[in-house]
């Protein structure tokens, strides 16, 4: 004799689908008139200054500052993992990744064990928060393709320097 099957638990897939909202048709007036640029608030410009790439001094090594900054960053774990993996490709003093050394999303997915879509999201997070700089390759066979370089945002570079100075002075 077998016991009765436990009651089935509902899942989100059991919910009815909602119809898609109707698409708004552009009028001729709005189609021709560009939208005004959003006003820049002082808070927005401060944010841009904070995530701007920090300037390294001649006696500083990029990779050690980058790793220490990541510990302070509060980035999601997947973004930190991708950042640490990208650091293997970067020059230890500058953070630049050569055009020939640019890893693909698929390669980063293999090396991190993450899904390629999660790697793409992590790269986007790193870029939005100032840890990654994207720019086109200007010459050679890969001309026009995107190039990734690692950077330490100015706000975290200042924090790492402050921690180092406190550590050296014993405070």
């Amino acid at each position: 004799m077998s016991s009765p099957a436990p009651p089935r638990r509902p899942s989100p897939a059991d919910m009815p689908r909602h119809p898609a909202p109707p698409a708004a048709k552009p009028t001729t007036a709005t189609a021709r008139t560009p939208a005004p640029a959003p006003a820049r608030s002082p808070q927005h410009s401060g944010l841009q200054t904070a995530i701007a790439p920090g300037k390294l001094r001649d006696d500083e090594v990029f990779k050690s500052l980058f790793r220490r900054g990541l510990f302070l960053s509060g980035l999601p774990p997947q973004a930190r993992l991708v950042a640490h993996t990208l650091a293997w490709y970067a020059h230890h003093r500058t953070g630049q990744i050569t055009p020939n050394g640019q890893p693909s999303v698929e390669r980063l997915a293999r090396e991190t064990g993450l899904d390629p879509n999660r790697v793409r999201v992590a790269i986007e997070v790193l870029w939005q928060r100032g840890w990654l700089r994207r720019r086109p390759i200007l010459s050679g066979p890969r001309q026009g393709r995107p190039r990734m370089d690692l950077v330490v945002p100015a706000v975290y570079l200042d924090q790492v320097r402050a921690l180092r100075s406190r550590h050296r002075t014993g405070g």
Side-chain angles (χ1 to χ4, degrees):
M1 196 177 229
S2 66
S3 63
R8 186 176 172 279
R9 296 178 75 189
S11 76
D14 295 330
M15 298 297 294
R17 291 191 177 265
H18 294 287
K25 295 180 182 177
T27 63
T28 55
T30 57
R32 283 183 273 151
T33 308
R40 300 271 179 177
S41 66
Q43 180 183 9
H44 186 267
S45 63
L47 176 65
Q48 291 299 326
T49 304
I51 66 170
K55 305 286 185 217
L56 297 180
R57 296 188 295 242
D58 290 338
D59 62 330
E60 294 177 324
V61 177
F62 171 80
K63 278 195 179 178
S64 63
L65 294 170
F66 182 77
R67 287 188 187 116
R68 288 175 193 244
L70 282 175
F71 290 130
L72 302 173
S73 70
L75 287 168
Q78 291 94 351
R80 284 190 215 184
L81 177 61
V82 171
H84 280 290
T85 305
L86 283 170
W88 283 101
Y89 294 94
H91 189 272
H92 70 284
R93 292 198 70 71
T94 64
Q96 293 181 345
I97 303 172
T98 64
N100 291 342
Q102 297 288 314
S104 66
V105 170
E106 291 75 22
R107 184 168 185 176
L108 287 171
R110 272 193 321 270
E111 292 174 350
T112 59
L114 297 173
D115 182 73
N117 289 328
R118 287 187 184 248
V119 171
R120 285 184 190 92
V121 169
I123 289 172
E124 190 66 23
V125 167
L126 291 170
W127 176 72
Q128 288 178 355
R129 297 201 186 170
W131 292 92
L132 188 65
R133 182 173 42 195
R134 290 189 278 198
R135 55 190 173 152
I137 297 173
L138 300 176
S139 62
R142 293 172 183 82
Q143 183 175 359
R145 286 190 172 165
R147 172 184 176 162
M148 296 183 289
D149 291 327
L150 298 177
V151 292
V152 180
V155 65
Y156 293 110
L157 187 58
D158 294 340
Q159 289 178 18
V160 170
R161 286 175 178 154
L163 284 173
R164 282 184 159 187
S165 67
R166 271 191 267 152
H167 181 69
R168 287 183 185 144
T169 60

